[in-house]
């Protein structure tokens, strides 16, 4: 099985639109599994017309940790007189997750702010703080109207640990891929270059980077390609909204040519893409005339992968 990850440095560049159409087209002649690894803002299933209630199942995921104070230990401050004054844990927490309850003379943790970094464990002189596992996300498995399975994750509000959530999503998708002997796993990564993106990209056979002809998107693209280079994963690029800035579109094409980055295709700026999103349909399904655009991108991608 080959894994193709689609990502963009900038949010809103058209990642999910491209992923949905490529997935639908690949599934016409192959067995595939789609994975939405943007656990902070998952929308691939919706773009494929599948809403939350239509998933076969949702399971809770406990990949997050929060600090928890044992007040019995902490209140034995007679063993740690300095702490009453210094309040080490308060000073340690860079996220202001620990506050001091003046009435009861105890520290309190705001779970919403605690990132589970564990720093307060180290500085607490009485070893009163420990980490507890918390349910921070849910993972859904469903079948799209186009016949292929989809795995999607949803981080709970205020929770962190999306990198670990992505690892779990990929592992679950790999189990399904094994069962159906999938030819491809198609991953819709989060935007940016952070932890969930790194977790999405790691182990991929090929990365499709989506950008648009704007300075902001280009700067984000350059950061994203540094990340891909770091992991030494072959990649190609797709210019979305080609034509919103023709001069810049041509400059981008030159840049990719000069830097030997394969240009897999260009998606024109067209309001029918917005209409497809509104109607919860992949662009190739909503407007069959778009098939040429996505066929070119898919074939170029498969051609580049064959060279690996
Ligand atoms: S684990 Fe980190 S974020 Fe949470 S309370 Fe301790 S220092 Fe603050
Ligand atoms: S550092 Fe430890 S002993 Fe001191 S106030 Fe915080 S939890 Fe209590």
């Amino acid at each position: 099985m080959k894994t193709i990850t689609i990502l963009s440095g900038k949010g809103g560049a058209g990642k999910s639109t491209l992923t949905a159409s490529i997935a639908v087209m690949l599934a016409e002649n192959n067995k595939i599994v789609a994975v939405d690894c943007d656990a902070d803002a998952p929308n691939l299933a919706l773009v494929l017309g599948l809403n939350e209630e239509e998933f076969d199942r949702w399971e809770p995921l406990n990949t997050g940790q929060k600090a928890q104070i044992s007040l019995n230990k902490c209140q034995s401050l007679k063993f740690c007189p300095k702490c009453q004054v210094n309040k080490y844990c308060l000073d340690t927490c860079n996220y202001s997750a620990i506050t001091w309850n003046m009435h009861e003379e105890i520290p309190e943790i705001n779970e919403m702010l605690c990132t589970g970094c564990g720093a307060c464990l180290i500085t607490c002189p009485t070893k009163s703080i420990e980490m507890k596992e918390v349910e921070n996300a849910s993972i859904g498995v469903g079948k799209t109207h186009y016949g292929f399975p989809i795995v999607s994750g949803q981080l709970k509000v205020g929770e962190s640990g999306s990198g670990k959530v992505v690892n779990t999503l990929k592992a679950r998708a790999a189990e399904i891929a094994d069962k159906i002997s999938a030819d491809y796993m198609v991953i819709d990564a989060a935007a940016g270059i952070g932890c969930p993106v790194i977790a999405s990209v790691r182990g991929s056979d090929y990365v499709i980077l989506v950008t648009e002809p704007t300075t902001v998107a280009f700067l984000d693209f350059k950061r994203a390609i540094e990340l891909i280079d770091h992991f030494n994963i072959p990649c190609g690029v797709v210019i979305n909204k080609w034509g919103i800035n023709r001069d810049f579109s041509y400059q981008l094409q030159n840049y990719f040519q000069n830097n030997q980055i394969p240009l897999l295709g260009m998606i024109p700026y067209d309001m029918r893409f917005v209409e497809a999103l509104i109607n919860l349909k992949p662009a190739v399904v909503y407007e069959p005339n778009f098939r040429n655009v996505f066929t070119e991108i898919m074939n170029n991608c498969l051609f580049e992968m064959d060279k690996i």
Side-chain angles (χ1 to χ4, degrees):
M1 184 188 68
K2 300 277 184 201
T3 302
I4 303 171
T5 299
I6 294 154
L7 68 90
S8 62
K10 174 185 168 293
K15 226 171 6 72
S16 300
T17 294
L18 178 63
T19 309
S21 286
I22 291 283
V24 167
M25 293 188 73
L26 267 179
E28 288 172 1
N29 297 306
N30 301 279
K31 287 194 177 144
I32 76 153
V33 181
V35 197
D36 190 346
C37 286
D38 188 356
D40 281 294
N43 60 12
L44 180 63
L46 268 183
V47 178
L48 287 160
L50 193 74
N51 62 44
E52 232 175 87
E53 294 76 40
E54 290 176 294
F55 274 71
D56 296 335
R57 60 183 186 277
W58 283 94
E59 298 160 17
L61 215 56
N62 301 327
T63 62
Q65 289 196 321
K66 302 279 182 195
Q68 179 176 250
I69 298 175
S70 158
L71 289 177
N72 283 344
K73 281 193 193 172
C74 170
Q75 281 170 325
S76 64
L77 287 177
K78 50 183 180 272
F79 301 117
C80 177
K82 278 190 192 160
C83 202
Q84 187 83 43
V85 179
N86 293 334
K87 302 179 179 65
Y88 296 110
C89 55
L90 269 74
D91 283 348
T92 305
C93 184
N94 278 336
Y95 303 93
S96 307
I98 309 181
T99 49
W100 193 256
N101 181 325
M102 305 286 276
H103 297 296
E104 297 179 43
E105 290 293 318
I106 51 165
E108 286 177 344
I109 293 182
N110 181 335
E111 288 208 349
M112 200 77 156
L113 296 176
C114 174
T115 63
C117 71
C120 54
L121 268 73
I122 299 167
T123 51
C124 172
T126 58
K127 307 274 176 244
S128 303
I129 307 178
E130 54 187 32
M131 302 305 285
K132 61 166 181 181
E133 258 191 12
V134 290
E135 185 187 319
N136 60 334
S138 54
I139 177 167
V141 179
K143 191 167 187 186
T144 66
H145 306 305
Y146 307 98
F148 57 86
I150 182 166
V151 180
S152 184
Q154 276 189 2
L155 212 57
K156 287 173 84 174
V157 176
E159 292 297 343
S160 55
S162 44
K164 285 183 188 167
V165 173
V166 168
N167 287 339
T168 312
L169 288 169
K170 285 172 69 178
R172 191 62 50 85
E175 286 167 20
I176 295 169
D178 245 12
K179 268 191 204 146
I180 64 168
S181 304
D183 303 296
Y184 295 100
M185 185 188 292
V186 182
I187 295 176
D188 186 11
I193 52 168
C195 186
V197 179
I198 291 170
S200 302
V201 160
R202 210 168 30 206
S204 297
D205 295 291
Y206 197 78
V207 169
I208 302 179
L209 270 159
V210 190
T211 189
E212 41 177 59
T214 62
T215 308
V216 174
F218 181 54
L219 291 177
D220 287 343
F221 164 84
K222 282 171 83 174
R223 280 149 46 92
I225 204 144
E226 262 182 54
L227 176 76
I228 310 304
D229 282 349
H230 175 80
F231 286 105
N232 204 17
I233 300 170
C235 72
V237 64
V238 170
I239 305 177
N240 189 20
K241 300 175 193 163
W242 196 96
I244 54 167
N245 182 343
R246 278 180 183 268
D247 288 346
F248 204 92
S249 299
Y250 289 125
Q251 280 175 38
L252 279 182
Q253 285 177 247
N254 286 337
Y255 176 88
F256 298 140
Q257 199 171 9
N258 294 339
N259 288 279
Q260 280 121 39
I261 302 167
L263 178 58
L264 305 175
M266 291 160 291
I267 302 173
Y269 182 64
D270 191 316
M271 282 311 285
R272 284 172 294 176
F273 284 105
V274 180
E275 288 168 20
L277 277 178
I278 292 168
N279 287 282
L280 303 181
K281 289 210 161 101
V284 278
V285 175
Y286 183 76
E287 178 48 86
N289 285 334
F290 287 147
R291 278 189 77 89
N292 290 345
V293 174
F294 291 103
T295 302
E296 186 189 3
I297 294 169
M298 184 182 72
N299 287 344
N300 283 338
C301 170
L302 298 181
F303 176 74
E304 291 294 328
M305 286 174 76
D306 275 348
K307 289 198 227 163
I308 301 166

